[in-house]
Each structure stands twice: as structure tokens, then as C-alpha cells.
PDB file of all heavy atoms in Angstrom:
ATOM      1  N   PRO K   1     328.204 381.402 165.127  1.00  0.00           N
ATOM      2  CA  PRO K   1     329.473 381.848 164.564  1.00  0.00           C
ATOM      3  C   PRO K   1     330.534 380.764 164.456  1.00  0.00           C
ATOM      4  O   PRO K   1     331.277 380.721 163.501  1.00  0.00           O
ATOM      5  CB  PRO K   1     329.921 382.957 165.510  1.00  0.00           C
ATOM      6  CG  PRO K   1     329.078 382.848 166.713  1.00  0.00           C
ATOM      7  CD  PRO K   1     327.854 382.057 166.353  1.00  0.00           C
ATOM      8  N   SER K   2     330.618 379.854 165.430  1.00  0.00           N
ATOM      9  CA  SER K   2     331.664 378.825 165.372  1.00  0.00           C
ATOM     10  C   SER K   2     331.369 377.822 164.263  1.00  0.00           C
ATOM     11  O   SER K   2     332.267 377.363 163.578  1.00  0.00           O
ATOM     12  CB  SER K   2     331.794 378.112 166.709  1.00  0.00           C
ATOM     13  OG  SER K   2     330.571 377.478 167.041  1.00  0.00           O
ATOM     14  N   ARG K   3     330.118 377.480 164.074  1.00  0.00           N
ATOM     15  CA  ARG K   3     329.744 376.531 163.025  1.00  0.00           C
ATOM     16  C   ARG K   3     329.948 377.144 161.649  1.00  0.00           C
ATOM     17  O   ARG K   3     330.420 376.481 160.728  1.00  0.00           O
ATOM     18  CB  ARG K   3     328.290 376.120 163.235  1.00  0.00           C
ATOM     19  CG  ARG K   3     327.665 375.325 162.128  1.00  0.00           C
ATOM     20  CD  ARG K   3     328.173 373.888 162.125  1.00  0.00           C
ATOM     21  NE  ARG K   3     327.654 373.222 160.948  1.00  0.00           N
ATOM     22  CZ  ARG K   3     327.126 372.044 160.938  1.00  0.00           C
ATOM     23  NH1 ARG K   3     327.067 371.356 162.053  1.00  0.00           N
ATOM     24  NH2 ARG K   3     326.686 371.504 159.841  1.00  0.00           N
ATOM     25  N   LEU K   4     329.626 378.423 161.492  1.00  0.00           N
ATOM     26  CA  LEU K   4     329.773 379.103 160.205  1.00  0.00           C
ATOM     27  C   LEU K   4     331.247 379.225 159.841  1.00  0.00           C
ATOM     28  O   LEU K   4     331.614 379.107 158.685  1.00  0.00           O
ATOM     29  CB  LEU K   4     329.114 380.479 160.255  1.00  0.00           C
ATOM     30  CG  LEU K   4     329.076 381.258 158.947  1.00  0.00           C
ATOM     31  CD1 LEU K   4     328.261 380.500 157.921  1.00  0.00           C
ATOM     32  CD2 LEU K   4     328.504 382.633 159.171  1.00  0.00           C
ATOM     33  N   ALA K   5     332.104 379.450 160.802  1.00  0.00           N
ATOM     34  CA  ALA K   5     333.528 379.625 160.544  1.00  0.00           C
ATOM     35  C   ALA K   5     334.166 378.332 160.036  1.00  0.00           C
ATOM     36  O   ALA K   5     335.108 378.362 159.268  1.00  0.00           O
ATOM     37  CB  ALA K   5     334.237 380.111 161.788  1.00  0.00           C
ATOM     38  N   THR K   6     333.656 377.195 160.465  1.00  0.00           N
ATOM     39  CA  THR K   6     334.260 375.929 160.058  1.00  0.00           C
ATOM     40  C   THR K   6     333.659 375.363 158.777  1.00  0.00           C
ATOM     41  O   THR K   6     334.246 374.499 158.173  1.00  0.00           O
ATOM     42  CB  THR K   6     334.103 374.881 161.177  1.00  0.00           C
ATOM     43  OG1 THR K   6     332.720 374.696 161.465  1.00  0.00           O
ATOM     44  CG2 THR K   6     334.838 375.305 162.429  1.00  0.00           C
ATOM     45  N   SER K   7     332.485 375.855 158.362  1.00  0.00           N
ATOM     46  CA  SER K   7     331.876 375.330 157.145  1.00  0.00           C
ATOM     47  C   SER K   7     332.429 376.054 155.931  1.00  0.00           C
ATOM     48  O   SER K   7     332.831 377.209 156.014  1.00  0.00           O
ATOM     49  CB  SER K   7     330.352 375.473 157.190  1.00  0.00           C
ATOM     50  OG  SER K   7     330.001 376.838 157.182  1.00  0.00           O
ATOM     51  N   GLU K   8     332.461 375.365 154.798  1.00  0.00           N
ATOM     52  CA  GLU K   8     332.947 375.956 153.564  1.00  0.00           C
ATOM     53  C   GLU K   8     331.808 376.709 152.891  1.00  0.00           C
ATOM     54  O   GLU K   8     330.688 376.212 152.782  1.00  0.00           O
ATOM     55  CB  GLU K   8     333.483 374.880 152.641  1.00  0.00           C
ATOM     56  CG  GLU K   8     334.742 374.217 153.165  1.00  0.00           C
ATOM     57  CD  GLU K   8     335.310 373.216 152.196  1.00  0.00           C
ATOM     58  OE1 GLU K   8     334.974 373.278 150.996  1.00  0.00           O
ATOM     59  OE2 GLU K   8     336.080 372.369 152.646  1.00  0.00           O
ATOM     60  N   VAL K   9     332.092 377.914 152.437  1.00  0.00           N
ATOM     61  CA  VAL K   9     331.105 378.741 151.767  1.00  0.00           C
ATOM     62  C   VAL K   9     331.667 379.087 150.398  1.00  0.00           C
ATOM     63  O   VAL K   9     332.776 379.601 150.287  1.00  0.00           O
ATOM     64  CB  VAL K   9     330.813 380.032 152.569  1.00  0.00           C
ATOM     65  CG1 VAL K   9     329.815 380.908 151.834  1.00  0.00           C
ATOM     66  CG2 VAL K   9     330.318 379.690 153.954  1.00  0.00           C
ATOM     67  N   THR K  10     330.893 378.815 149.350  1.00  0.00           N
ATOM     68  CA  THR K  10     331.352 379.150 148.008  1.00  0.00           C
ATOM     69  C   THR K  10     331.178 380.637 147.769  1.00  0.00           C
ATOM     70  O   THR K  10     330.440 381.325 148.475  1.00  0.00           O
ATOM     71  CB  THR K  10     330.564 378.366 146.948  1.00  0.00           C
ATOM     72  OG1 THR K  10     329.196 378.770 146.988  1.00  0.00           O
ATOM     73  CG2 THR K  10     330.683 376.867 147.170  1.00  0.00           C
ATOM     74  N   LEU K  11     331.845 381.142 146.762  1.00  0.00           N
ATOM     75  CA  LEU K  11     331.776 382.562 146.434  1.00  0.00           C
ATOM     76  C   LEU K  11     330.360 382.966 146.051  1.00  0.00           C
ATOM     77  O   LEU K  11     329.877 384.031 146.442  1.00  0.00           O
ATOM     78  CB  LEU K  11     332.737 382.879 145.286  1.00  0.00           C
ATOM     79  CG  LEU K  11     332.812 384.343 144.848  1.00  0.00           C
ATOM     80  CD1 LEU K  11     333.253 385.221 146.009  1.00  0.00           C
ATOM     81  CD2 LEU K  11     333.749 384.493 143.675  1.00  0.00           C
ATOM     82  N   VAL K  12     329.648 382.095 145.359  1.00  0.00           N
ATOM     83  CA  VAL K  12     328.272 382.385 144.958  1.00  0.00           C
ATOM     84  C   VAL K  12     327.372 382.504 146.177  1.00  0.00           C
ATOM     85  O   VAL K  12     326.535 383.407 146.271  1.00  0.00           O
ATOM     86  CB  VAL K  12     327.745 381.295 143.988  1.00  0.00           C
ATOM     87  CG1 VAL K  12     326.280 381.492 143.681  1.00  0.00           C
ATOM     88  CG2 VAL K  12     328.561 381.275 142.724  1.00  0.00           C
ATOM     89  N   GLU K  13     327.539 381.606 147.163  1.00  0.00           N
ATOM     90  CA  GLU K  13     326.746 381.678 148.394  1.00  0.00           C
ATOM     91  C   GLU K  13     327.045 382.955 149.165  1.00  0.00           C
ATOM     92  O   GLU K  13     326.137 383.594 149.700  1.00  0.00           O
ATOM     93  CB  GLU K  13     327.014 380.469 149.272  1.00  0.00           C
ATOM     94  CG  GLU K  13     326.478 379.176 148.729  1.00  0.00           C
ATOM     95  CD  GLU K  13     326.908 377.980 149.561  1.00  0.00           C
ATOM     96  OE1 GLU K  13     327.990 378.024 150.195  1.00  0.00           O
ATOM     97  OE2 GLU K  13     326.153 377.006 149.569  1.00  0.00           O
ATOM     98  N   LEU K  14     328.316 383.337 149.212  1.00  0.00           N
ATOM     99  CA  LEU K  14     328.710 384.552 149.919  1.00  0.00           C
ATOM    100  C   LEU K  14     328.089 385.792 149.272  1.00  0.00           C
ATOM    101  O   LEU K  14     327.520 386.633 149.957  1.00  0.00           O
ATOM    102  CB  LEU K  14     330.223 384.677 149.954  1.00  0.00           C
ATOM    103  CG  LEU K  14     330.783 385.928 150.618  1.00  0.00           C
ATOM    104  CD1 LEU K  14     330.416 385.941 152.095  1.00  0.00           C
ATOM    105  CD2 LEU K  14     332.279 386.002 150.429  1.00  0.00           C
ATOM    106  N   VAL K  15     328.175 385.895 147.951  1.00  0.00           N
ATOM    107  CA  VAL K  15     327.587 387.027 147.248  1.00  0.00           C
ATOM    108  C   VAL K  15     326.076 387.032 147.418  1.00  0.00           C
ATOM    109  O   VAL K  15     325.470 388.090 147.614  1.00  0.00           O
ATOM    110  CB  VAL K  15     327.980 387.000 145.749  1.00  0.00           C
ATOM    111  CG1 VAL K  15     327.200 388.026 144.942  1.00  0.00           C
ATOM    112  CG2 VAL K  15     329.477 387.237 145.596  1.00  0.00           C
ATOM    113  N   ASP K  16     325.449 385.868 147.378  1.00  0.00           N
ATOM    114  CA  ASP K  16     323.997 385.775 147.566  1.00  0.00           C
ATOM    115  C   ASP K  16     323.593 386.279 148.940  1.00  0.00           C
ATOM    116  O   ASP K  16     322.624 387.020 149.082  1.00  0.00           O
ATOM    117  CB  ASP K  16     323.543 384.332 147.370  1.00  0.00           C
ATOM    118  CG  ASP K  16     322.026 384.193 147.442  1.00  0.00           C
ATOM    119  OD1 ASP K  16     321.327 385.008 146.797  1.00  0.00           O
ATOM    120  OD2 ASP K  16     321.551 383.275 148.142  1.00  0.00           O
ATOM    121  N   ARG K  17     324.336 385.905 149.974  1.00  0.00           N
ATOM    122  CA  ARG K  17     324.040 386.369 151.328  1.00  0.00           C
ATOM    123  C   ARG K  17     324.219 387.881 151.449  1.00  0.00           C
ATOM    124  O   ARG K  17     323.410 388.573 152.071  1.00  0.00           O
ATOM    125  CB  ARG K  17     324.939 385.677 152.346  1.00  0.00           C
ATOM    126  CG  ARG K  17     324.613 384.235 152.542  1.00  0.00           C
ATOM    127  CD  ARG K  17     325.542 383.606 153.551  1.00  0.00           C
ATOM    128  NE  ARG K  17     325.387 382.167 153.572  1.00  0.00           N
ATOM    129  CZ  ARG K  17     326.142 381.361 154.293  1.00  0.00           C
ATOM    130  NH1 ARG K  17     327.103 381.854 155.048  1.00  0.00           N
ATOM    131  NH2 ARG K  17     325.939 380.065 154.263  1.00  0.00           N
ATOM    132  N   LEU K  18     325.302 388.411 150.871  1.00  0.00           N
ATOM    133  CA  LEU K  18     325.554 389.845 150.946  1.00  0.00           C
ATOM    134  C   LEU K  18     324.482 390.648 150.219  1.00  0.00           C
ATOM    135  O   LEU K  18     324.014 391.667 150.717  1.00  0.00           O
ATOM    136  CB  LEU K  18     326.930 390.172 150.372  1.00  0.00           C
ATOM    137  CG  LEU K  18     328.133 389.701 151.183  1.00  0.00           C
ATOM    138  CD1 LEU K  18     329.420 390.025 150.442  1.00  0.00           C
ATOM    139  CD2 LEU K  18     328.139 390.327 152.558  1.00  0.00           C
ATOM    140  N   VAL K  19     324.083 390.192 149.049  1.00  0.00           N
ATOM    141  CA  VAL K  19     323.067 390.910 148.274  1.00  0.00           C
ATOM    142  C   VAL K  19     321.709 390.784 148.933  1.00  0.00           C
ATOM    143  O   VAL K  19     320.918 391.735 148.934  1.00  0.00           O
ATOM    144  CB  VAL K  19     323.036 390.387 146.817  1.00  0.00           C
ATOM    145  CG1 VAL K  19     321.851 390.939 146.048  1.00  0.00           C
ATOM    146  CG2 VAL K  19     324.326 390.774 146.104  1.00  0.00           C
ATOM    147  N   ASP K  20     321.417 389.635 149.539  1.00  0.00           N
ATOM    148  CA  ASP K  20     320.133 389.446 150.207  1.00  0.00           C
ATOM    149  C   ASP K  20     319.974 390.390 151.394  1.00  0.00           C
ATOM    150  O   ASP K  20     318.935 390.991 151.585  1.00  0.00           O
ATOM    151  CB  ASP K  20     319.985 387.997 150.659  1.00  0.00           C
ATOM    152  CG  ASP K  20     318.627 387.733 151.297  1.00  0.00           C
ATOM    153  OD1 ASP K  20     317.614 388.175 150.716  1.00  0.00           O
ATOM    154  OD2 ASP K  20     318.588 387.099 152.365  1.00  0.00           O
ATOM    155  N   LYS K  21     321.007 390.514 152.201  1.00  0.00           N
ATOM    156  CA  LYS K  21     320.954 391.379 153.383  1.00  0.00           C
ATOM    157  C   LYS K  21     321.306 392.817 153.057  1.00  0.00           C
ATOM    158  O   LYS K  21     320.843 393.738 153.695  1.00  0.00           O
ATOM    159  CB  LYS K  21     321.915 390.870 154.465  1.00  0.00           C
ATOM    160  CG  LYS K  21     321.554 389.527 154.999  1.00  0.00           C
ATOM    161  CD  LYS K  21     320.259 389.588 155.759  1.00  0.00           C
ATOM    162  CE  LYS K  21     319.926 388.222 156.318  1.00  0.00           C
ATOM    163  NZ  LYS K  21     318.670 388.205 156.998  1.00  0.00           N
ATOM    164  N   GLY K  22     322.184 393.018 152.085  1.00  0.00           N
ATOM    165  CA  GLY K  22     322.680 394.340 151.763  1.00  0.00           C
ATOM    166  C   GLY K  22     323.964 394.616 152.532  1.00  0.00           C
ATOM    167  O   GLY K  22     324.134 394.168 153.665  1.00  0.00           O
ATOM    168  N   VAL K  23     324.862 395.318 151.911  1.00  0.00           N
ATOM    169  CA  VAL K  23     326.129 395.649 152.542  1.00  0.00           C
ATOM    170  C   VAL K  23     326.541 397.049 152.110  1.00  0.00           C
ATOM    171  O   VAL K  23     326.273 397.477 150.991  1.00  0.00           O
ATOM    172  CB  VAL K  23     327.221 394.603 152.189  1.00  0.00           C
ATOM    173  CG1 VAL K  23     327.558 394.610 150.731  1.00  0.00           C
ATOM    174  CG2 VAL K  23     328.474 394.816 153.005  1.00  0.00           C
ATOM    175  N   VAL K  24     327.135 397.783 153.042  1.00  0.00           N
ATOM    176  CA  VAL K  24     327.626 399.125 152.749  1.00  0.00           C
ATOM    177  C   VAL K  24     329.142 399.103 152.857  1.00  0.00           C
ATOM    178  O   VAL K  24     329.694 398.659 153.867  1.00  0.00           O
ATOM    179  CB  VAL K  24     327.055 400.166 153.741  1.00  0.00           C
ATOM    180  CG1 VAL K  24     327.649 401.530 153.485  1.00  0.00           C
ATOM    181  CG2 VAL K  24     325.548 400.213 153.636  1.00  0.00           C
ATOM    182  N   LEU K  25     329.809 399.556 151.805  1.00  0.00           N
ATOM    183  CA  LEU K  25     331.259 399.660 151.807  1.00  0.00           C
ATOM    184  C   LEU K  25     331.625 401.118 152.010  1.00  0.00           C
ATOM    185  O   LEU K  25     331.064 402.006 151.368  1.00  0.00           O
ATOM    186  CB  LEU K  25     331.838 399.176 150.478  1.00  0.00           C
ATOM    187  CG  LEU K  25     331.526 397.736 150.087  1.00  0.00           C
ATOM    188  CD1 LEU K  25     332.059 397.448 148.693  1.00  0.00           C
ATOM    189  CD2 LEU K  25     332.115 396.782 151.087  1.00  0.00           C
ATOM    190  N   HIS K  26     332.573 401.364 152.895  1.00  0.00           N
ATOM    191  CA  HIS K  26     333.005 402.729 153.186  1.00  0.00           C
ATOM    192  C   HIS K  26     334.508 402.729 153.354  1.00  0.00           C
ATOM    193  O   HIS K  26     335.054 401.925 154.116  1.00  0.00           O
ATOM    194  CB  HIS K  26     332.328 403.228 154.470  1.00  0.00           C
ATOM    195  CG  HIS K  26     332.784 404.578 154.915  1.00  0.00           C
ATOM    196  ND1 HIS K  26     332.273 405.722 154.394  1.00  0.00           N
ATOM    197  CD2 HIS K  26     333.711 404.938 155.819  1.00  0.00           C
ATOM    198  CE1 HIS K  26     332.864 406.747 154.971  1.00  0.00           C
ATOM    199  NE2 HIS K  26     333.751 406.297 155.844  1.00  0.00           N
ATOM    200  N   GLY K  27     335.184 403.599 152.614  1.00  0.00           N
ATOM    201  CA  GLY K  27     336.629 403.659 152.734  1.00  0.00           C
ATOM    202  C   GLY K  27     337.162 405.023 152.360  1.00  0.00           C
ATOM    203  O   GLY K  27     336.554 405.761 151.580  1.00  0.00           O
ATOM    204  N   ASP K  28     338.294 405.368 152.920  1.00  0.00           N
ATOM    205  CA  ASP K  28     338.952 406.632 152.640  1.00  0.00           C
ATOM    206  C   ASP K  28     340.427 406.384 152.370  1.00  0.00           C
ATOM    207  O   ASP K  28     341.066 405.606 153.084  1.00  0.00           O
ATOM    208  CB  ASP K  28     338.835 407.599 153.825  1.00  0.00           C
ATOM    209  CG  ASP K  28     337.398 407.961 154.123  1.00  0.00           C
ATOM    210  OD1 ASP K  28     336.670 408.325 153.193  1.00  0.00           O
ATOM    211  OD2 ASP K  28     337.012 407.888 155.308  1.00  0.00           O
ATOM    212  N   ILE K  29     340.949 407.047 151.354  1.00  0.00           N
ATOM    213  CA  ILE K  29     342.374 406.948 151.031  1.00  0.00           C
ATOM    214  C   ILE K  29     342.907 408.369 150.899  1.00  0.00           C
ATOM    215  O   ILE K  29     342.322 409.193 150.191  1.00  0.00           O
ATOM    216  CB  ILE K  29     342.612 406.179 149.717  1.00  0.00           C
ATOM    217  CG1 ILE K  29     342.085 404.754 149.834  1.00  0.00           C
ATOM    218  CG2 ILE K  29     344.082 406.187 149.348  1.00  0.00           C
ATOM    219  CD1 ILE K  29     342.128 403.979 148.541  1.00  0.00           C
ATOM    220  N   THR K  30     344.011 408.647 151.549  1.00  0.00           N
ATOM    221  CA  THR K  30     344.656 409.957 151.430  1.00  0.00           C
ATOM    222  C   THR K  30     346.113 409.748 151.035  1.00  0.00           C
ATOM    223  O   THR K  30     346.844 409.000 151.701  1.00  0.00           O
ATOM    224  CB  THR K  30     344.597 410.725 152.766  1.00  0.00           C
ATOM    225  OG1 THR K  30     343.240 410.847 153.169  1.00  0.00           O
ATOM    226  CG2 THR K  30     345.203 412.105 152.621  1.00  0.00           C
ATOM    227  N   LEU K  31     346.524 410.381 149.945  1.00  0.00           N
ATOM    228  CA  LEU K  31     347.908 410.331 149.499  1.00  0.00           C
ATOM    229  C   LEU K  31     348.585 411.621 149.950  1.00  0.00           C
ATOM    230  O   LEU K  31     348.149 412.712 149.593  1.00  0.00           O
ATOM    231  CB  LEU K  31     347.978 410.202 147.977  1.00  0.00           C
ATOM    232  CG  LEU K  31     349.371 410.182 147.361  1.00  0.00           C
ATOM    233  CD1 LEU K  31     350.146 408.955 147.844  1.00  0.00           C
ATOM    234  CD2 LEU K  31     349.291 410.204 145.864  1.00  0.00           C
ATOM    235  N   ALA K  32     349.630 411.476 150.753  1.00  0.00           N
ATOM    236  CA  ALA K  32     350.317 412.641 151.299  1.00  0.00           C
ATOM    237  C   ALA K  32     351.812 412.512 151.089  1.00  0.00           C
ATOM    238  O   ALA K  32     352.375 411.424 151.111  1.00  0.00           O
ATOM    239  CB  ALA K  32     350.016 412.778 152.787  1.00  0.00           C
ATOM    240  N   VAL K  33     352.451 413.662 150.870  1.00  0.00           N
ATOM    241  CA  VAL K  33     353.898 413.733 150.756  1.00  0.00           C
ATOM    242  C   VAL K  33     354.375 414.823 151.702  1.00  0.00           C
ATOM    243  O   VAL K  33     353.875 415.951 151.643  1.00  0.00           O
ATOM    244  CB  VAL K  33     354.329 414.053 149.308  1.00  0.00           C
ATOM    245  CG1 VAL K  33     355.838 414.248 149.219  1.00  0.00           C
ATOM    246  CG2 VAL K  33     353.883 412.954 148.353  1.00  0.00           C
ATOM    247  N   ALA K  34     355.293 414.490 152.571  1.00  0.00           N
ATOM    248  CA  ALA K  34     355.845 415.437 153.555  1.00  0.00           C
ATOM    249  C   ALA K  34     354.737 416.070 154.391  1.00  0.00           C
ATOM    250  O   ALA K  34     354.715 417.276 154.598  1.00  0.00           O
ATOM    251  CB  ALA K  34     356.687 416.495 152.864  1.00  0.00           C
ATOM    252  N   ASP K  35     353.800 415.248 154.851  1.00  0.00           N
ATOM    253  CA  ASP K  35     352.674 415.698 155.680  1.00  0.00           C
ATOM    254  C   ASP K  35     351.769 416.704 154.992  1.00  0.00           C
ATOM    255  O   ASP K  35     351.079 417.486 155.645  1.00  0.00           O
ATOM    256  CB  ASP K  35     353.152 416.262 157.022  1.00  0.00           C
ATOM    257  CG  ASP K  35     353.706 415.167 157.914  1.00  0.00           C
ATOM    258  OD1 ASP K  35     353.230 414.014 157.780  1.00  0.00           O
ATOM    259  OD2 ASP K  35     354.582 415.455 158.744  1.00  0.00           O
ATOM    260  N   ILE K  36     351.771 416.727 153.663  1.00  0.00           N
ATOM    261  CA  ILE K  36     350.859 417.573 152.892  1.00  0.00           C
ATOM    262  C   ILE K  36     349.937 416.650 152.105  1.00  0.00           C
ATOM    263  O   ILE K  36     350.391 415.865 151.273  1.00  0.00           O
ATOM    264  CB  ILE K  36     351.631 418.505 151.928  1.00  0.00           C
ATOM    265  CG1 ILE K  36     352.559 419.426 152.723  1.00  0.00           C
ATOM    266  CG2 ILE K  36     350.664 419.320 151.078  1.00  0.00           C
ATOM    267  CD1 ILE K  36     353.494 420.256 151.868  1.00  0.00           C
ATOM    268  N   ASP K  37     348.629 416.744 152.394  1.00  0.00           N
ATOM    269  CA  ASP K  37     347.657 415.912 151.695  1.00  0.00           C
ATOM    270  C   ASP K  37     347.530 416.372 150.247  1.00  0.00           C
ATOM    271  O   ASP K  37     347.237 417.533 149.976  1.00  0.00           O
ATOM    272  CB  ASP K  37     346.294 415.992 152.381  1.00  0.00           C
ATOM    273  CG  ASP K  37     346.314 415.390 153.772  1.00  0.00           C
ATOM    274  OD1 ASP K  37     347.261 414.640 154.067  1.00  0.00           O
ATOM    275  OD2 ASP K  37     345.379 415.668 154.545  1.00  0.00           O
ATOM    276  N   LEU K  38     347.769 415.438 149.318  1.00  0.00           N
ATOM    277  CA  LEU K  38     347.681 415.762 147.895  1.00  0.00           C
ATOM    278  C   LEU K  38     346.389 415.262 147.273  1.00  0.00           C
ATOM    279  O   LEU K  38     345.750 415.970 146.503  1.00  0.00           O
ATOM    280  CB  LEU K  38     348.880 415.174 147.142  1.00  0.00           C
ATOM    281  CG  LEU K  38     350.258 415.660 147.585  1.00  0.00           C
ATOM    282  CD1 LEU K  38     351.338 414.915 146.823  1.00  0.00           C
ATOM    283  CD2 LEU K  38     350.375 417.158 147.368  1.00  0.00           C
ATOM    284  N   ILE K  39     346.021 414.040 147.590  1.00  0.00           N
ATOM    285  CA  ILE K  39     344.841 413.427 146.979  1.00  0.00           C
ATOM    286  C   ILE K  39     344.019 412.753 148.071  1.00  0.00           C
ATOM    287  O   ILE K  39     344.560 412.046 148.925  1.00  0.00           O
ATOM    288  CB  ILE K  39     345.231 412.375 145.924  1.00  0.00           C
ATOM    289  CG1 ILE K  39     346.021 413.037 144.785  1.00  0.00           C
ATOM    290  CG2 ILE K  39     344.002 411.677 145.371  1.00  0.00           C
ATOM    291  CD1 ILE K  39     346.578 412.042 143.787  1.00  0.00           C
ATOM    292  N   TYR K  40     342.723 412.984 148.036  1.00  0.00           N
ATOM    293  CA  TYR K  40     341.784 412.324 148.942  1.00  0.00           C
ATOM    294  C   TYR K  40     340.748 411.602 148.098  1.00  0.00           C
ATOM    295  O   TYR K  40     340.151 412.193 147.190  1.00  0.00           O
ATOM    296  CB  TYR K  40     341.081 413.325 149.864  1.00  0.00           C
ATOM    297  CG  TYR K  40     339.944 412.721 150.637  1.00  0.00           C
ATOM    298  CD1 TYR K  40     340.189 411.953 151.764  1.00  0.00           C
ATOM    299  CD2 TYR K  40     338.626 412.885 150.228  1.00  0.00           C
ATOM    300  CE1 TYR K  40     339.147 411.372 152.473  1.00  0.00           C
ATOM    301  CE2 TYR K  40     337.583 412.311 150.920  1.00  0.00           C
ATOM    302  CZ  TYR K  40     337.846 411.559 152.043  1.00  0.00           C
ATOM    303  OH  TYR K  40     336.805 410.984 152.720  1.00  0.00           O
ATOM    304  N   VAL K  41     340.543 410.324 148.362  1.00  0.00           N
ATOM    305  CA  VAL K  41     339.533 409.531 147.658  1.00  0.00           C
ATOM    306  C   VAL K  41     338.612 408.919 148.709  1.00  0.00           C
ATOM    307  O   VAL K  41     339.073 408.242 149.621  1.00  0.00           O
ATOM    308  CB  VAL K  41     340.175 408.419 146.804  1.00  0.00           C
ATOM    309  CG1 VAL K  41     339.107 407.582 146.128  1.00  0.00           C
ATOM    310  CG2 VAL K  41     341.136 408.992 145.785  1.00  0.00           C
ATOM    311  N   GLY K  42     337.311 409.180 148.571  1.00  0.00           N
ATOM    312  CA  GLY K  42     336.327 408.592 149.472  1.00  0.00           C
ATOM    313  C   GLY K  42     335.440 407.631 148.700  1.00  0.00           C
ATOM    314  O   GLY K  42     335.007 407.921 147.593  1.00  0.00           O
ATOM    315  N   LEU K  43     335.203 406.467 149.265  1.00  0.00           N
ATOM    316  CA  LEU K  43     334.366 405.450 148.624  1.00  0.00           C
ATOM    317  C   LEU K  43     333.201 405.119 149.538  1.00  0.00           C
ATOM    318  O   LEU K  43     333.390 404.803 150.706  1.00  0.00           O
ATOM    319  CB  LEU K  43     335.185 404.178 148.370  1.00  0.00           C
ATOM    320  CG  LEU K  43     334.402 402.926 147.968  1.00  0.00           C
ATOM    321  CD1 LEU K  43     333.850 403.108 146.565  1.00  0.00           C
ATOM    322  CD2 LEU K  43     335.252 401.701 148.051  1.00  0.00           C
ATOM    323  N   ARG K  44     332.025 405.219 148.997  1.00  0.00           N
ATOM    324  CA  ARG K  44     330.827 404.797 149.705  1.00  0.00           C
ATOM    325  C   ARG K  44     329.929 404.089 148.691  1.00  0.00           C
ATOM    326  O   ARG K  44     329.522 404.692 147.702  1.00  0.00           O
ATOM    327  CB  ARG K  44     330.103 405.989 150.317  1.00  0.00           C
ATOM    328  CG  ARG K  44     330.855 406.562 151.488  1.00  0.00           C
ATOM    329  CD  ARG K  44     330.280 407.868 151.975  1.00  0.00           C
ATOM    330  NE  ARG K  44     331.081 408.416 153.043  1.00  0.00           N
ATOM    331  CZ  ARG K  44     332.127 409.218 152.849  1.00  0.00           C
ATOM    332  NH1 ARG K  44     332.494 409.528 151.629  1.00  0.00           N
ATOM    333  NH2 ARG K  44     332.797 409.680 153.873  1.00  0.00           N
TER     334      ARG K  44
END
């Protein structure tokens, strides 16, 4: 980890590593007004 943090990684190398291993993105967004949830968006 310490060696990887100090080395420069190009965007292409980063995308190649992510696609090779696979990555899962997960996120939730809730828009609320006055403590009333109006919109919920889930990303997976």
C-alpha cells in the first residue's frame, strides 16, 4: 500500500485494474424537505 500510494497511476491503468478485478458501485440519495422524503434514488 505505501509503494502504490507514492507511484503515479494513469487513468487508463486505473480503469484497467478496476475492470480486471471488477468493482461494484452502490449509492443512495434521498431528497427531503421538512423531514418528508420526496425522492429516493438508488444506484447499484
Side-chain angles (χ1 to χ4, degrees):
S2 61
R3 170 75 186 226
L4 185 62
T6 59
S7 66
E8 292 184 19
V9 178
T10 64
L11 182 60
V12 174
E13 291 173 332
L14 178 64
V15 171
D16 185 47
R17 289 180 190 175
L18 291 176
V19 170
D20 183 46
K21 296 293 181 183
V23 65
V24 176
L25 301 175
H26 175 82
D28 298 311
I29 299 173
T30 304
L31 178 63
V33 175
D35 290 330
I36 299 173
D37 294 343
L38 300 176
I39 299 173
Y40 170 79
V41 178
L43 168 70
R44 289 171 183 88

